[in-house]
Amino acid sequence: MQNGPVTNELLPVSAAIEGGVLSVGGAPLPRLAEEHGTPLVVYCERTIREAARAYREAAPDALLVYGTKAFPNVAILRLLAEEGFGADVSSGGELELARRAGIPGERIVVHGNNKGDDELAAAARLGALVAVDALDEIERAVAAGVRRALVRVTPGIEADTHEAIRTAHHGSKFGLPPHDAIAAIGALRDAGVDVEGVHVHIGSQLLHLRAAGMTVEWLALFSARCRAELDWTPRTIDLGGGLGVAHVPDEAPPSIAEFVAAVSGELARAWALERLEPPRLVLEPGRSLVGRAGVTVYRVGSIKRASEATTYVAVDGGLSDNPRPALYGARYAALLANRADEEPGEAYAVAGRHCESGDLLIERVPLPEPRRGDLLAIPATGAYTLAMGSNYNAVPRPAAVLVADGAARTIRRRETMDDLLALEQG
Amino acid sequence: MQNGPVTNELLPVSAAIEGGVLSVGGAPLPRLAEEHGTPLVVYCERTIREAARAYREAAPDALLVYGTKAFPNVAILRLLAEEGFGADVSSGGELELARRAGIPGERIVVHGNNKGDDELAAAARLGALVAVDALDEIERAVAAGVRRALVRVTPGIEADTHEAIRTAHHGSKFGLPPHDAIAAIGALRDAGVDVEGVHVHIGSQLLHLRAAGMTVEWLALFSARCRAELDWTPRTIDLGGGLGVAHVPDEAPPSIAEFVAAVSGELARAWALERLEPPRLVLEPGRSLVGRAGVTVYRVGSIKRASEATTYVAVDGGLSDNPRPALYGARYAALLANRADEEPGEAYAVAGRHCESGDLLIERVPLPEPRRGDLLAIPATGAYTLAMGSNYNAVPRPAAVLVADGAARTIRRRETMDDLLALEQG
């Protein structure tokens, strides 16, 4: 039993409660908070490995690359490389992290709507697969020495997810409409680049499979058109990431197995219908690998009854370590990590520490009456949290630890005021 | 004449166009881009000084403190200290920046809905004025040695600004409802703390004066209630910041002189009506000091016709240096800094470089047909841009320079990949 509306599906697979204390990977969160300070992002190694293996088993022949942007971190990249994953990167910085994690170029896919010449050259040096995203990138990619490419194409399907993270609607800043994509494939091939296939992105944090299925149908049609117009068909189909994770109990995304089975089943069916050669699948999971693995642990500070309806519980982080509520209206659940077996009472608003009304992590969550010094844990915060964090209010960003078998190792150290001051000049 | 819908009111006061080139503080932006790289945030010293002097002249007896969170930077704090400003800080980090800028404690106001014991102690050591924000802060403030306090009180007036930056609605995470505020004033005085007055915040980016006027009326009533219940009246009234700046031509905020005159006139009138002693005014401008002073200069990269209706111009920054469009739906104008005298043609969407659909800086802005390598300048980006910036996609954050008399000095250096790698462990 645990308090708040937190269900087991929201917590890392290794989460356990003993004597009222929540532990992850065998490490009690109060001990981790004591040793590493708060806020602290605790990643469960087993959750990441199990998710990676679920992809591997469901798609043994696919090229699986980690959507690095979800949490760009060398240790996580290395761990995923051990599970056979490569990296999907979208900047020179992410490419450098993948390189430092020892990921070989043939398992790196390079994205970006506005790649610099230096980024194209770095990708070429590593022999990475470059997803060409614009007509004016072709000449530059060729000049930079890129030999292997995908072309990113944009269908008009709108996925059922928040507008800001929909990426395949008509008029997206990413990719090329079909006519331009065909021109790009032709021009790249004319320049001697091996165009291995096409990339299409159907959105992110998808909670249903309908949009993914539609996209695959559309891609088969597009591939048939390529055959007719170019006498070329894609031998690689990169469908991006897309699969969501549950952040609150009423979200029920498909499992990794269901998602991959639906996508690859649809791919086989649609390809057979168009009599196309079965392609190699590329998947770029980010959130579904690390989202559930991460739990953010905060120390409770001020508690304030602000009105009849609302009592605020303030924690020692917020917007700076997790801007998703402010950016996307993202919802979260929470529990008290040091009193995890107590019955929840009334509902509380969980506020961050920043000088900003929008710095509200959770609008309402039932908790046992919180006290100063309690540890508040927010599950499913492994993706797009620290990755998008800021130094708002000159607040240094938290550390991240990776836990397994009761031991925790720091994979991203806590920022210090000295780090912030290092940028000040004059 | 300049292109885009950019009017002079959006640009720094020193902006000029000569031979098609936009300069700020006598420094041509193409030269600055060459010397310092892009993206680059260019601050005009004269714009900041003139805004500071406008406050000074309009409120010669007020304590004026810079809302540090708008752009926490030692050089800017120092410049404003020269103009007689103190600092409004809301974290230990911001307090440290103010201390390094040499601002004395008597000109520092410390805010925060969840101050740590260490932060209260640092404020006490400097002799700063602490805005007590919660009942459970009283004992801790006293224990930390705080001797001078304001109490933050929360009225129910809703200002006409974006919900996320409204801060005085019922149930705000900030401040205390009237009954609790009176209890706090009493308890602090009983503990020997000099309660100098009250703080109230009416919102930010206010474009009209109605809400500010209503708040002052309400405060007078609250002060009269304090006299009746506590035999005490505030001798200091801190009204926060609040005044907005124009980001697009159709926004027309009051001038600093109009804003201060309205606020102080209302204060005098309302206080006289309640036969209260005229208080000292504290104002905490942030955005209205540095917002207009800052211009962000980007290098144009990929240009893409995505549909009949939309052509994207991608620049080399975005969400990482200015998350306001994604966070608040903030609108901006733009012009080409290297071809500033050319007639604008069709409207373009200005996209950032990040792997995120929400990374769109401007939805539609008319520009002369942009070309790769052009410099795109976005005015009125001096506040809450870099301050809230992130390293999304492992992208280092840009530098900021301060310009005057044709010379530019770096006030915040560009982040490097090494800065980012310094946090990686294991």
Side-chain angles (χ1 to χ4, degrees), chain B residues 322-336:
Chain B
N322 186 359
R324 294 188 69 250
L327 272 171
Y328 308 115
R331 296 178 304 144
Y332 287 101
L335 73 170
L336 296 184

Side-chain angles (χ1 to χ4, degrees), chain A residues 3-355:
Chain A
N3 59 50
V6 174
T7 53
N8 284 340
E9 288 66 35
L10 299 182
L11 288 164
V13 297
S14 66
I17 292 169
E18 207 171 329
V21 167
L22 175 64
S23 68
V24 171
L29 296 188
R31 193 195 86 200
L32 295 180
E34 196 59 47
E35 289 173 5
H36 298 270
T38 55
L40 182 69
V41 189
V42 178
Y43 281 93
C44 166
E45 182 171 331
R46 184 145 70 86
T47 303
I48 300 173
R49 289 199 190 271
E50 285 187 11
R53 286 167 197 174
Y55 271 104
R56 188 81 280 161
E57 274 164 38
D61 301 322
L63 173 63
L64 298 170
V65 293
Y66 168 51
T68 305
K69 63 181 180 289
F71 179 49
N73 178 267
V74 173
I76 297 286
L77 282 159
R78 223 173 252 153
L79 184 159
L80 286 164
E82 289 170 12
E83 300 294 337
F85 272 64
D88 140 33
V89 302
S90 38
S91 70
E94 290 183 359
L95 184 64
E96 178 62 15
L97 295 177
R99 198 187 65 75
R100 286 183 183 241
I103 295 173
E106 65 263 29
R107 283 199 272 140
I108 297 177
V109 184
V110 178
H111 289 286
N113 65 311
N114 187 24
K115 304 179 193 77
D117 288 340
D118 52 338
E119 293 172 319
L120 288 167
R125 272 197 304 277
L126 284 174
L129 187 59
V130 174
V132 170
D133 201 278
L135 291 174
D136 62 12
E137 194 177 297
I138 297 169
E139 201 179 288
R140 295 165 51 243
V142 171
V146 169
R147 309 311 299 154
R148 304 170 55 225
L150 301 175
V151 167
R152 182 161 178 166
V153 60
T154 315
I157 301 161
E158 300 207 357
D160 57 339
T161 180
H162 188 285
E163 180 165 5
I165 48 179
R166 279 191 316 208
T167 52
H169 53 294
H170 268 311
S172 166
K173 74 169 187 171
F174 295 109
L176 291 163
H179 180 267
D180 288 343
I182 286 176
I185 295 165
L188 284 160
R189 295 182 71 217
D190 288 349
V193 176
D194 179 11
V195 183
E196 298 190 6
V198 294
H199 168 98
V200 69
H201 195 81
I202 45 155
S204 34
Q205 178 58 6
L206 293 177
L207 301 178
H208 304 286
L209 295 171
R210 192 183 44 79
M214 280 299 297
T215 304
V216 172
E217 294 275 8
W218 183 92
L219 260 185
L221 210 60
F222 174 78
S223 300
R225 183 173 162 193
C226 287
R227 181 175 52 195
E229 296 191 25
L230 295 167
D231 195 23
W232 170 93
T233 54
R235 59 182 200 275
T236 291
I237 295 294
D238 183 343
L239 293 176
L243 179 59
V245 302
H247 298 97
V248 287
D250 61 14
E251 288 176 337
S255 70
I256 290 169
E258 285 164 350
F259 175 77
V260 176
V263 161
S264 53
E266 189 65 31
L267 196 69
R269 202 160 38 244
W271 252 243
L273 214 63
E274 297 287 352
R275 295 169 203 280
L276 292 157
E277 283 293 306
R280 179 180 69 154
L281 182 62
V282 179
L283 292 173
E284 303 177 335
R287 196 189 311 265
S288 55
L289 288 176
V290 297
R292 183 184 171 187
V295 175
T296 308
V297 185
Y298 300 98
R299 185 75 66 179
V300 170
S302 185
I303 293 150
K304 182 194 294 180
R305 189 148 192 93
S307 72
E308 289 290 306
T310 307
T311 299
Y312 284 96
V313 181
V315 296
D316 54 357
L319 194 56
S320 55
D321 55 80
N322 186 359
R324 294 187 70 251
L327 272 170
Y328 307 116
R331 296 179 305 143
Y332 287 101
L335 73 169
L336 296 185
N338 56 319
R339 299 195 276 135
D341 54 354
E342 291 182 25
E343 283 290 342
E346 64 170 299
Y348 294 84
V350 180
R353 57 154 300 167
H354 295 276
C355 202

